[in-house]
Amino acid sequence: MTIRNFSREVPSNPDLLPDIEEYVISKISDLGLSEEKLSNLALSVAEAASNSIVHGNMCDESKKIKINIQIDETSITVKFKDEGAGFVPEKVPDPTAPENILKDNGRGIHIMKTFLDSLEYNFDGDGTEVVLKLKI
């Protein structure tokens, strides 16, 4: 089984979001994903990176976002690790509930859960890691 790994670290600057998305997409461009899967992953990557920079590290450029991409024969795993304090995923309001339809928060997590095969969070004293997984 061939496994490819790529890693990168970037400062928490929202202006770098297009570069982060381009970096991840460039590493999977040879996999022949359908346009739908590629778009779903790109949107999820953009959302996860934005959450790490804006909510996790509060746009503090002295704090870094670590990006790890793992590709094997069956799946793509993209991890973003920030230096933030974390959050409680179960407390994020369901954006599809009638009382939350007009609220902005929680939509990104909902979108990622819809577009990915798996979305997980790991919390430790060093920050929050979001793990995006898409089957090839």
Side-chain angles (χ1 to χ4, degrees), residues 97-109:
E99 67 273 15
N100 298 325
I101 291 293
L102 299 177
K103 294 180 182 175
D104 288 334
N105 58 335
R107 296 201 182 287
I109 292 172

Side-chain angles (χ1 to χ4, degrees), residues 2-13:
T2 302
I3 297 175
R4 296 187 294 166
N5 285 295
F6 305 95
S7 294
R8 185 174 182 191
E9 191 173 274
V10 296
S12 295
N13 180 339

Side-chain angles (χ1 to χ4, degrees), residues 15-56:
D15 293 339
L16 297 176
L17 288 169
D19 296 335
I20 293 169
E21 183 180 341
E22 184 179 311
Y23 169 73
V24 173
I25 298 305
S26 74
K27 299 304 179 194
I28 63 164
S29 62
D30 64 336
L31 298 178
L33 292 178
S34 69
E35 282 298 316
E36 180 182 10
K37 280 196 179 224
L38 191 60
S39 293
N40 289 352
L41 184 61
L43 184 58
S44 298
V45 162
E47 184 60 37
S50 176
N51 285 350
S52 291
I53 289 172
V54 175
H55 300 295

